[in-house]
Amino acid sequence: MRKHRAITCVIKIGLAFFSLWYALMKLFPVRKKVVFISRQSDSPSVDISLLDMEFKSRGWESVTLCKKIGSGLLGKAGYVFHMFRQAYHIATAKIIILDSYCILVSCMKKRKDLLVVQMWHSVGTMKMAGYSTLDKPEGSKSYIAKAMHMHENYDYVLCAGEGYRSHLAELFNIAPEKIKILPLPRVELLKDENYARNMKASINKEYPDTANGKRNILYAPTFRKLFDEKEKQQEAINQLIDAFDFEHNNLIIKLHPLADISVRDDRCIIPDDRSTFDMIFVADAMISDFSCIIYEAAIRNMPLYFYTFDYDDYTRRRGMYLNYMEEMPGPVKLTAEGIVEALDKPYDMHSLVAFRDKYISRNSYRETAAIADFCEINVKNR
């Protein structure tokens, strides 16, 4: 308890300092400005890039503030200095759009006329997060979440489909009516066949083996945070490679950006300079586990296979929003041999379509424009 009080005290002192800075920034005039804030990456995501272009085309000033919290003291200090810039833009914007938790947005006193929209960074949900995982091994400590006002001050949270509205309500501890069915902009690209053809041609040129006539199998597992999980994942990947049928298939391995394990095997295609999203457009099927990338693959009508070598441990530590074994639209296997055998068996596309339609709304017009329309209407009515 003494440690908890000490950490809470440090947080309060830090937030008090930023409250004074934020109060000074609020003396500057509010402009017709939309600000995108993310700590998922140091560069804008596909979703942020598309919305940035859309708002600019409508005459808005647009600012993107993308920065990960680095490791070690220097990395964290660098993010603290970045927060000074965040404070100015939050204080002078009409719209804030987030894809992750932002300390200042949640902790500072919000202007009544400021619209804050949390669009999150995944098309769907699967493993629990946020308030659902407080005090679990991979979740936040509840006393820290309280001190940091975790996920507070959101006016709306975006959701791709009605099927997981309740999941997000629990994750963000927010009223269900504040969750709006508006899929992320990247869904627009997944449905765009011209974009798909161009992306596939680009990848085929960069990685000629993806166009060698074999079936492209994309392996895209979720991030594992704990040390023993990483060890198991490394072993599981090695087993998958050893069991894989390279004579008839290509194995494309795309690990989570935060994964600190390595895969080096000349038989595999390992596109370090391409995102998992990019590789979807060249894949014929996907092997995953607990990653929400499966929703994006489902939009492309891609057969899904689930290599859950650590199912019991992982689901116990994190918890799942879905009834995993019943809902996954494809074979669920605990071993590499089981997955490789499943790849050669007939696939149930009806199950995939039902899963996709439950969790992803099929809008009749562009997702990017729909989000921008929603924001402009709400700003006008504030």
Side-chain angles (χ1 to χ4, degrees):
M1 287 298 294
R2 184 176 298 175
K3 179 182 177 182
H4 292 184
R5 285 195 295 269
I7 293 174
T8 301
C9 183
V10 170
I11 291 172
K12 287 182 177 179
I13 292 171
L15 292 179
F17 175 79
F18 271 104
S19 291
L20 291 173
W21 178 255
Y22 182 64
L24 289 173
M25 296 302 99
K26 287 167 74 174
L27 297 176
F28 289 91
V30 173
R31 304 200 297 270
K32 185 182 178 182
K33 178 171 65 175
V34 56
V35 178
F36 300 95
I37 301 177
S38 174
R39 62 180 194 180
Q40 291 295 110
S41 171
D42 291 329
S43 57
S45 66
V46 171
D47 301 310
I48 290 175
S49 296
L50 289 170
L51 282 169
D52 172 62
M53 289 187 291
E54 181 69 27
F55 275 100
K56 284 178 178 175
S57 73
R58 298 175 181 222
W60 285 76
E61 178 186 351
S62 179
V63 176
T64 60
L65 301 174
C66 301
K67 185 174 179 61
K68 292 192 294 186
I69 299 178
S71 59
L73 186 60
L74 284 177
K76 290 177 173 57
Y79 192 82
V80 169
F81 282 108
H82 176 69
M83 288 170 63
F84 285 101
R85 187 180 175 207
Q86 284 183 351
Y88 168 73
H89 287 295
I90 293 169
T92 56
K94 288 191 174 183
I95 301 172
I96 305 292
I97 298 180
L98 313 169
D99 70 355
S100 45
Y101 169 72
C102 175
I103 297 169
L104 295 184
V105 168
S106 287
C107 294
M108 299 297 100
K109 187 174 181 180
K110 179 177 171 291
R111 295 194 333 265
K112 290 183 179 180
D113 61 341
L114 175 65
L115 176 68
V116 177
V117 176
Q118 172 62 262
M119 67 175 176
W120 208 227
H121 51 266
S122 63
V123 173
T125 57
M126 189 178 301
K127 52 187 179 288
M128 290 183 174
Y131 281 90
S132 305
T133 58
L134 289 182
D135 298 319
K136 291 184 178 180
E138 290 198 22
S140 301
K141 299 296 182 184
S142 55
Y143 73 93
I144 293 179
K146 182 178 179 181
M148 297 292 288
H149 300 272
M150 188 171 75
H151 296 310
E152 293 184 13
N153 282 337
Y154 302 158
D155 293 298
Y156 298 102
V157 173
L158 305 188
C159 179
E162 189 64 45
Y164 71 102
R165 182 196 293 269
S166 62
H167 306 166
L168 292 185
E170 181 181 325
L171 189 162
F172 293 111
N173 191 31
I174 195 171
E177 58 268 22
K178 288 191 174 184
I179 298 173
K180 300 302 176 183
I181 308 301
L182 289 167
L184 295 180
R186 76 183 79 159
V187 172
E188 185 177 324
L189 299 183
L190 290 165
K191 298 188 299 184
D192 186 337
E193 291 306 321
N194 286 330
Y195 181 88
R197 281 191 293 271
N198 291 336
M199 179 60 74
K200 183 174 182 179
S202 175
I203 294 171
N204 287 161
K205 183 178 180 180
E206 190 172 349
Y207 297 94
D209 285 347
T210 61
N212 62 10
K214 298 180 182 180
R215 185 169 54 157
N216 290 320
I217 310 298
L218 174 60
Y219 177 47
T222 196
F223 174 59
R224 283 158 173 84
K225 183 178 181 180
L226 303 180
F227 179 76
D228 64 323
E229 291 179 329
K230 296 173 187 176
E231 285 189 319
K232 289 179 183 177
Q233 185 173 37
Q234 184 76 71
E235 182 181 352
I237 292 171
N238 294 338
Q239 291 173 353
L240 178 63
I241 293 171
D242 289 341
F244 199 74
D245 176 13
F246 287 99
E247 182 179 354
H248 301 99
N249 304 290
N250 296 316
L251 180 58
I252 303 169
I253 298 180
K254 192 62 194 172
L255 300 179
H256 191 281
L258 298 178
D260 57 359
I261 60 176
S262 62
V263 179
R264 291 291 177 264
D265 192 301
D266 292 340
R267 294 171 295 175
C268 303
I269 300 170
I270 306 171
D272 292 331
D273 56 344
R274 288 284 190 167
S275 68
T276 307
F277 180 82
D278 289 347
M279 299 311 295
I280 284 176
F281 294 97
V282 78
D284 298 301
M286 175 183 284
I287 300 172
S288 191
D289 42 27
F290 312 106
S291 172
C292 290
I293 194 68
I294 68 166
Y295 293 97
E296 293 164 48
I299 294 169
R300 296 292 305 161
N301 294 315
M302 186 183 301
L304 295 169
Y305 301 83
F306 300 89
Y307 181 25
T308 56
F309 54 88
D310 56 353
Y311 177 83
D312 289 336
D313 287 340
Y314 192 88
T315 55
R316 173 178 53 82
R317 285 171 167 171
R318 283 297 294 264
M320 306 296 289
Y321 287 118
L322 309 177
N323 188 325
Y324 189 90
M325 288 297 186
E326 289 186 10
E327 287 214 54
M328 289 304 97
V332 179
K333 303 294 181 179
L334 302 180
T335 65
E337 291 78 9
I339 280 293
V340 172
E341 289 175 7
L343 288 171
D344 289 330
K345 295 180 179 179
Y347 185 83
D348 181 7
M349 288 300 298
H350 295 292
S351 174
L352 179 71
V353 170
F355 177 82
R356 180 199 68 198
D357 291 347
K358 177 179 179 181
Y359 290 107
I360 303 165
S361 173
R362 310 291 282 181
N363 280 347
S364 60
Y365 70 114
R366 295 190 302 119
E367 280 73 14
T368 308
I371 294 172
D373 287 346
F374 175 79
C375 290
E376 286 189 325
I377 290 169
N378 275 277
V379 166
K380 186 177 180 180
N381 293 335
R382 298 185 85 77

